[in-house]
Amino acid sequence: MEVGQPTEPHIAILPSPGMGHIIPLFQLAKRLVTHHRLRVTFLVITTADPAPAAQNNLLRSDAVPSGLRVVDLPPVDVSELLAGVPPGLTPLCVMVEHSLRRHLRPVLLGLDGVTAVVIDLFCTQAFEICGELSIPVYSFFTGSTALLAFSLYLPTLDRETEGEFVDLPEPVQVPGCRPVRVRKSEEYKWFFLHVSRLYKAAGIFANTWKDLEPVTLLALKENPFFLNIPTPPVHPIGPVVKEEEPYTESDKEVLTWLDKQKPDSVLFVALGSGGTLSSKQLTELAFGLELSQQCFILVARTPNDATAMGTFYSAGGIEDDPIAYLPEGFVKRTERVGLVVKSWAPQVAVLRHASTGGFLSHCGWNSTLESVLPGVPMITWPLYAEQRMNATQLAAEVGVAAKPTVEPWREVVGREEIERVVRAVMEGEEGKVIRRRAKELRDSARVALDSGGSSCDSLARVVKAWKLN
């Protein structure tokens, strides 16, 4: 290279652990390399040795473009600090805290001229470290923009509310947005710590587009509250979703089975990379699917009566025999209409298949976008974190989902209600309305991502600023 010749910007991207965080940031990394010719280093916080199978399949495949380099941060031992701590936000944040404090600075210094760093919500220690190195930091918000607006409002709400805002009789009114119900968990302090640092970002990438969340995006841009606090520029660049990856033999079996089914006839049941059900709830779900008499693919995992996040750090790496924990005879009785898959399925490929007509989902934002993009209607089954907020938004506001009714006196969603909602979505009038709305958003998402579309242009403007600097 000649002396003085300009080089393309070099972007470092840093997600927190878990496939729900890694997938969208990795897809952004690939988009920056393939569409904008940038150099990207993708930094991975090590949580296990070996890494989860699903993570390795994503990051180490032959489909990774040549301008994208994956670098593992050295592992840190936090086992003594986390002894007895159940899966959730606390272990994630402790792991990230110690990893970044120890390794981020030397890793960044060892890279070739980093132009900017892109982090997700739970890596905000990077603001201080990168500030010392004069590297601007952008936040990729992996949740909905409704959650982003709530997060930006939360420091004010926390400061101005006497007592616990979780005890307020009414939903929280976020300025310019629709009201949201919140549950303040034991891990609130970690969430609050990170969202209270969002103002330090040079910009926030939102995984959405105007037609999906018009009210919230307008509020962030024009509402006096957000104009009068240090709200970083918000760049809607979505949907950023996982692309199809090389298939395993078990993946091919799933898709071959789908090829034999009628169009829009199959309900896909999958609860994200980390989601697990209790033994009682899994039993009710299985019987509800059987009673519905609809075709289905069930991604089955060993039930966990202690936590809904039983596979958060081991996605795709645990395989056991579903016959051992599903109702006796269920697999045999449903073999003509159903397919039970162990632990993990090629979700993007399944949702894009012509035979798939519905998606029973935990309503994580990645899964939501992966369902909206091919126009597949949803049944909401939130498990933890902001998923309940997403479920309400998708059913009541966006109009692409149906919500099961849960009686307060029951510990679980009963099989009769599961049968009802599955039939409603797969063959009822409600399902037809939802399916039309889902396909409208599918079309608008494709327009947003095309050359000259709103999301394409939004990312291009940031890339242009990086190149000028």
Side-chain angles (χ1 to χ4, degrees):
M1 181 180 295
E2 296 178 6
V3 176
Q5 181 178 344
T7 59
E8 293 296 341
H10 183 187
I11 310 302
I13 296 185
L14 173 65
S16 55
M19 293 302 289
H21 303 275
I22 291 172
I23 287 172
L25 274 78
F26 192 65
Q27 296 310 315
L28 173 62
K30 292 169 70 174
R31 189 179 293 184
L32 291 174
V33 171
T34 58
H35 293 187
H36 299 279
R37 310 285 185 186
L38 303 189
R39 295 176 297 147
V40 177
T41 299
F42 194 80
L43 304 177
V44 181
I45 296 173
T46 305
T47 60
D49 186 18
Q55 179 176 311
N56 273 336
N57 291 341
L58 177 70
L59 302 181
R60 315 294 176 185
S61 79
D62 294 336
V64 176
S66 59
L68 173 53
R69 178 188 176 200
V70 178
V71 174
D72 294 314
L73 299 186
V76 292
D77 185 3
V78 292
S79 55
E80 291 187 7
L81 294 172
L82 298 178
V85 178
L89 192 56
T90 294
L92 182 148
C93 291
V94 169
M95 195 177 305
V96 170
E97 175 89 25
H98 284 260
S99 181
L100 299 190
R101 294 293 182 196
R102 187 173 303 176
H103 299 304
L104 182 58
R105 183 186 180 94
V107 167
L108 290 175
L109 288 173
L111 298 178
D112 178 24
V114 175
T115 307
V117 173
V118 180
I119 64 172
D120 76 6
L121 179 59
F122 301 115
C123 293
T124 60
Q125 295 84 1
F127 286 125
E128 178 184 346
I129 296 166
C130 293
E132 296 169 355
L133 301 175
S134 299
I135 301 174
V137 178
Y138 292 73
S139 178
F140 186 120
F141 200 83
T142 56
S144 69
T145 309
L147 180 63
L148 170 60
F150 173 76
S151 300
L152 292 168
Y153 178 55
L154 184 56
T156 300
L157 178 67
D158 187 90
R159 184 174 63 252
E160 295 181 352
T161 302
E162 293 184 9
E164 300 289 335
F165 64 76
V166 74
D167 297 326
L168 295 175
E170 300 297 330
V172 173
Q173 180 61 64
V174 179
C177 304
R178 293 183 173 89
V180 295
R181 287 196 176 277
V182 295
R183 297 186 179 189
K184 190 171 179 180
S185 71
E186 294 297 320
E187 298 178 321
Y188 169 78
K189 66 174 184 178
W190 287 110
F191 183 74
F192 181 80
L193 171 70
H194 290 293
V195 301
S196 64
R197 294 169 173 168
L198 276 174
Y199 75 92
K200 298 181 179 182
I204 299 175
F205 293 119
N207 200 359
T208 193
W209 67 103
K210 183 179 178 181
D211 288 343
L212 184 64
E213 298 184 275
V215 174
T216 308
L217 286 171
L218 184 65
L220 290 172
K221 185 178 180 180
E222 297 183 0
N223 187 273
F225 173 81
F226 294 108
L227 294 176
N228 289 321
I229 65 170
T231 303
V234 176
H235 309 286
I237 62 169
V240 180
V241 299
K242 186 179 181 181
E243 299 167 1
E244 294 186 13
E245 59 193 61
Y247 300 136
T248 65
E249 287 305 312
S250 61
D251 292 342
K252 293 176 183 177
E253 292 175 8
V254 172
L255 298 176
T256 299
W257 184 88
L258 268 175
D259 289 339
K260 300 174 183 177
Q261 312 308 316
K262 296 178 181 179
D264 291 334
S265 67
V266 177
L267 177 70
F268 180 49
V269 182
L271 299 174
S273 56
T276 50
L277 298 176
S278 67
S279 301
K280 187 174 182 179
Q281 184 61 86
L282 182 60
T283 296
E284 291 298 305
L285 176 60
F287 279 125
L289 292 174
E290 184 175 357
L291 288 169
S292 76
Q293 299 181 338
Q294 304 298 307
C295 295
F296 67 86
I297 294 174
L298 170 62
V299 180
R301 294 182 181 137
T302 303
N304 191 316
D305 293 329
T307 177
M309 301 178 69
T311 60
F312 189 81
Y313 295 116
S314 57
I318 298 177
E319 290 193 7
D320 42 30
D321 188 357
I323 293 177
Y325 50 80
L326 288 170
E328 184 176 356
F330 169 79
V331 174
K332 181 67 175 176
R333 291 193 305 272
T334 61
E335 62 183 359
R336 293 182 62 185
V337 296
L339 180 67
V340 177
V341 182
K342 300 176 183 178
S343 182
W344 189 261
Q347 178 164 298
V348 171
V350 170
L351 289 172
R352 293 179 180 178
H353 197 285
S355 296
T356 303
F359 181 26
L360 191 152
S361 170
H362 67 309
C363 301
W365 198 243
N366 292 324
S367 290
T368 295
L369 297 178
E370 289 169 4
S371 187
V372 169
L373 197 54
V376 176
M378 300 173 67
I379 297 172
T380 65
W381 199 288
L383 295 176
Y384 52 82
E386 80 282 5
Q387 293 165 12
R388 290 182 179 85
M389 178 190 294
N390 293 346
T392 298
Q393 180 182 359
L394 293 169
E397 299 171 22
V398 183
V400 294
K403 289 183 68 174
T405 301
V406 184
E407 294 92 347
W409 53 271
R410 297 194 72 160
E411 297 177 1
V412 297
V413 183
R415 64 190 70 179
E416 299 86 358
E417 176 59 14
I418 295 168
E419 176 194 5
R420 183 201 68 79
V421 74
V422 169
R423 285 182 178 273
V425 169
M426 298 303 293
E427 61 183 18
E429 289 301 316
E430 182 181 7
K432 293 177 182 177
V433 172
I434 292 172
R435 185 167 283 105
R436 282 196 296 270
R437 175 59 177 154
K439 294 190 184 305
E440 289 173 1
L441 285 173
R442 172 199 64 189
D443 295 341
S444 76
R446 292 173 178 173
V447 171
L449 291 173
D450 281 346
S451 178
S454 60
S455 294
C456 179
D457 285 353
S458 183
L459 181 57
R461 285 192 291 270
V462 178
V463 170
K464 182 178 180 180
W466 287 339
K467 291 181 176 180
L468 289 175
N469 290 333

